Each structure stands twice: as structure tokens, then as C-alpha cells.
Amino acid sequence: MEEKYRQEPSDVLKVVLFGPESTGKTTLSEQLARHYHTVWVPEYARDYLQDKWNNERKTCEPHDLLPIAAGQMRMENNLTKKATDILICDTDLLETKVYSEAYYIGDCDPILEKYALENTYDLYLLTYIDIPWEADDLRDKPDEREQMFNYFKDTLEKYGKNFITLKGNKKERLQKAINHIDTLLHK
């Protein structure tokens, strides 16, 4: 049963966009996938939670996190098979763990935590909060951006993840990401 949270083995370089809401992760995921002629894994939670909001007028609750994690890994594992040398992931289970802890008083389901820490990625691109906030039905912490950014950064440091912080405009972020990814691809 827990297999649905596990990352399938692959030789593909995996890069994750990681950081608070409304910091340009999806835009950069699309740009990087286009640049590297590969596929990217969207954030499963966006569609899942938008449907929940549209149908029930409810936001994310703790019991939603495991279905979100399973959906994210299903998409990632399927798209890994279609990727070229690199797979761009708009999120991962570690990000879901961060949101679980931040929203639910430090709590995280043990299964989610296990796979958030076991699944591996080659590079995390931590997106800074220096781009304008864009409101939508799901985003709800515009006044806590710095606090959330620090939580994301602390998490990457705590678990020894390979990451860089992306700041600046879209063009600057894209170029810095490409430079670091190219270094990994040519090792």
C-alpha cells in the first residue's frame, strides 16, 4: 500500500522547485522543461484542492495530504518514463511535509514523512519571495511569506539537500537554474 508514495528508480536527473506559494515555481518549471526539451511534473495538489474548493468550499485538511502525496508520486513516476535526461518537478513530498507541519501545528503523517525523506532529487531550486504575490482561491498566507521561506530553507538545510536559492526576475532565475543544472548534467 505504501508503494504509491515511493519514487520509482530512474537514471533521470531530477530537479525540484521548492518554496512558498506564489514564488514562481510553476512558471520556472515550464521554462526549464521547455529549455531542456523534457516534461515537467505539475503540482497535483493544485487541481486536487481547486476541485475541493469548487465543490465543497473547503480548503486543505490533514486527511487530504496522503491522497495528494499519492497523486503527486503517481504523476512523477509516470512522467519520469517520458523525460529526456532531466525531469523538472514543480513540487515533491518534502514540500507537502513542510505545509503539513506549518498548517497543522508541526504535525505530519508518518507515512508522508517517511517518503518525503526517502525519495531523492539531484537539486532543489528554492524560490525566494522577491516576486509579487498573486492571490487565487488556494493561496492564503501573503503576510507570512518570509516566515514560510525560512521554514522551507531550514528544511532543506536540516535534511542536507543539495539546493540553491533563486532570486531576481524570471530571466535571472531561469539563467541561474540552467547554469546549476548544466553543471550537474555534465558531471
Side-chain angles (χ1 to χ4, degrees):
M1 170 136 180
E2 288 186 19
E3 292 300 310
K4 61 186 168 188
Y5 308 107
R6 178 170 285 137
Q7 195 176 52
E8 293 177 3
S10 169
D11 291 332
V12 172
L13 184 83
K14 291 188 177 183
V15 176
V16 178
L17 280 289
F18 195 78
E21 57 190 11
S22 194
T23 56
K25 295 184 297 287
T26 300
T27 299
L28 189 53
S29 294
E30 293 170 341
Q31 291 173 324
L32 288 168
R34 205 169 24 255
H35 177 82
Y36 288 105
H37 307 288
T38 192
V39 295
W40 66 283
V41 184
E43 182 183 10
Y44 181 81
R46 295 286 310 168
D47 289 337
Y48 179 98
L49 294 173
Q50 188 66 58
D51 286 345
K52 181 174 181 159
W53 177 255
N54 292 345
N55 294 319
E56 304 173 38
R57 287 294 188 245
K58 290 183 179 179
T59 57
C60 190
E61 299 169 284
H63 68 264
D64 291 318
L65 296 175
L66 285 179
I68 288 170
Q72 189 66 43
M73 290 315 302
R74 184 174 54 253
M75 286 176 35
E76 180 183 316
N77 287 330
N78 287 338
L79 288 168
T80 296
K81 297 169 189 154
K82 298 177 181 180
T84 57
D85 296 330
I86 182 172
L87 180 70
I88 308 298
C89 302
D90 192 342
T91 191
D92 73 338
L93 299 191
L94 188 58
E95 182 151 332
T96 307
K97 175 183 173 358
V98 167
Y99 277 113
S100 175
E101 293 169 350
Y103 279 73
Y104 307 116
I105 315 167
D107 192 34
C108 182
D109 183 286
I111 294 171
L112 173 58
E113 183 168 32
K114 175 183 177 182
Y115 290 99
L117 300 177
E118 281 184 13
N119 292 342
T120 61
Y121 299 87
D122 299 284
L123 179 64
Y124 282 82
L125 301 174
L126 177 61
T127 52
Y128 192 62
I129 57 173
D130 58 347
I131 62 171
W133 172 269
E134 290 184 25
D136 67 16
D137 291 339
L138 304 177
R139 294 176 178 153
D140 64 351
K141 292 198 181 279
D143 299 324
E144 297 178 27
R145 295 179 88 195
E146 187 170 357
Q147 177 185 344
M148 288 302 295
F149 174 81
N150 290 333
Y151 199 136
F152 278 96
K153 184 174 188 271
D154 291 348
T155 298
L156 292 172
E157 290 172 346
K158 177 181 179 179
Y159 296 112
K161 302 297 183 181
N162 181 29
F163 77 95
I164 60 164
T165 302
L166 298 178
K167 296 181 178 181
N169 63 38
K170 290 177 185 179
K171 186 176 180 181
E172 292 167 334
R173 288 173 177 224
L174 177 62
Q175 191 56 57
K176 184 173 182 179
I178 288 169
N179 292 344
H180 283 286
I181 292 168
D182 283 352
T183 298
L184 291 174
L185 285 171
H186 298 109
K187 277 188 173 182

